[in-house]
Each structure stands twice: as C-alpha cells, then as structure tokens.
Amino acid sequence: MSQVTITINGKPETREVEDRTLLVQFIREHVGLTGTHVGCDTTQCGACTVHLDGVAVKSCTVLAVAADGAAVTTIEGLAEGGTLHPVQQAFHEHHGLQCGYCTPGMIMASVDMIRRHDGVLDEATVRHELEGNICRCTGYHNIVKAVLDAAEKHRAAHAAAAE
C-alpha cells in the first residue's frame, strides 16, 4: 500500500491505495468522481481520458502512484462556476453525443487537441486525433462539428484578447 496525493480539479486528494491501483480507479472509487468512465481497460476506447498535468492521458493506463503529486482535471473540473467549458457547450449545441458514455473522454481529448493546435484545426485533423476515442453510437459527424466550432471560438477569443 502507498499513500498518494493527487490534486483533482484543484482539490488535493490523499488516499492509501494498493500499488496496482489505476488512476481511473483512484478517481472513481477513491475520490467518487464518476464522470471519467471505464470502457475497455486496455487503452483502446478513450472513455477514461483525463488531463494529467495539462496533457490528455488515458487514465486506465496510469498507476495512481505514478500520478502522486500531479494535477488531474476530469470532466467535472472543466466547467467554471456553473458555466460549461466551451467544448462542453459545443458538444451540447451540436448534439455531439448519443448515449453519452464516450462523451467525457471525447471532450477531454478535444480540449487538449484544441490547446495543442491553438484552435487551428480542420476536419481531417480532428478525425485523426480522435482515433483513440471510440464512439459506438455515432458516425462522429456531430462530434467533429462540435470540436471545429469550439476551436473556431477558441481562435476568435484569443485573437480578440491579443488586440
């Protein structure tokens, strides 16, 4: 057993865990945040995507002890003061979901993608970058529309701030 402290959505969380505990298990079972989903346990589906020190990772492949001292953002940590994050809002506006199981991972991967590309994205790039996130319900069309819309709004907001 090891004691780990991981800052999740801005709040330090210290727990005693088995050394084999996955980050996704720490988030869901030890902290009680269930927005991060467990899909495949083999890094294939992306439903468990979170941000670890600002970078999107599949939390089913990271041990909690490896994340000791790190900062993790989950889907629950994106909204600020009751206002949806722009990517969450875009998924809502473009109906980028059906059953919703993959949605948290898709959103977390999309936020990271928009950040890394500074909002400069095209459909081919979005589709390529989301290959590690599987949706079994949709044809990805509305997901891609949502990401492109959020990326455009990101670019516009940064351009306005630079003026």
Side-chain angles (χ1 to χ4, degrees):
M1 297 286 276
S2 297
Q3 182 172 307
V4 298
T5 300
I6 303 170
T7 300
I8 300 182
N9 302 328
K11 181 181 175 204
E13 300 285 355
T14 301
R15 303 287 191 283
E16 190 83 15
V17 297
E18 293 184 36
D19 293 338
R20 63 189 174 117
T21 301
L22 297 171
L23 180 56
V24 69
Q25 293 169 313
F26 184 86
I27 293 166
R28 291 179 60 82
E29 298 167 18
H30 294 269
V31 179
L33 297 174
T34 58
T36 302
H37 294 156
V38 178
C40 66
D41 279 331
T42 60
T43 196
Q44 301 297 312
C45 75
C48 66
T49 302
V50 298
H51 295 172
L52 177 63
D53 288 333
V55 177
V57 299
K58 294 177 181 178
S59 61
C60 74
T61 61
V62 177
L63 293 171
V65 294
D68 187 27
V72 171
T73 303
T74 68
I75 191 71
E76 292 95 341
L78 284 184
E80 290 185 23
T83 301
L84 292 176
H85 183 279
V87 176
Q88 290 172 309
Q89 186 63 39
F91 267 67
H92 172 73
E93 290 171 3
H94 294 279
H95 196 67
L97 59 103
Q98 278 188 353
C99 82
Y101 199 82
C102 71
T103 305
M106 287 282 186
I107 289 173
M108 297 305 289
S110 298
V111 168
D112 182 62
M113 178 192 338
I114 291 167
R115 178 195 55 79
R116 285 184 294 103
H117 291 275
D118 201 25
V120 180
L121 292 168
D122 58 30
E123 182 177 346
T125 302
V126 172
R127 287 183 180 277
H128 173 73
E129 294 238 357
L130 288 179
E131 285 179 356
N133 291 74
I134 296 173
C135 176
R136 299 188 196 299
C137 299
T138 73
Y140 295 86
H141 180 72
N142 289 347
I143 293 169
V144 173
K145 281 178 24 181
V147 174
L148 290 172
D149 181 48
E152 176 60 35
K153 288 176 181 168
H154 173 87
R155 271 197 324 269
H158 280 81
E163 291 178 0

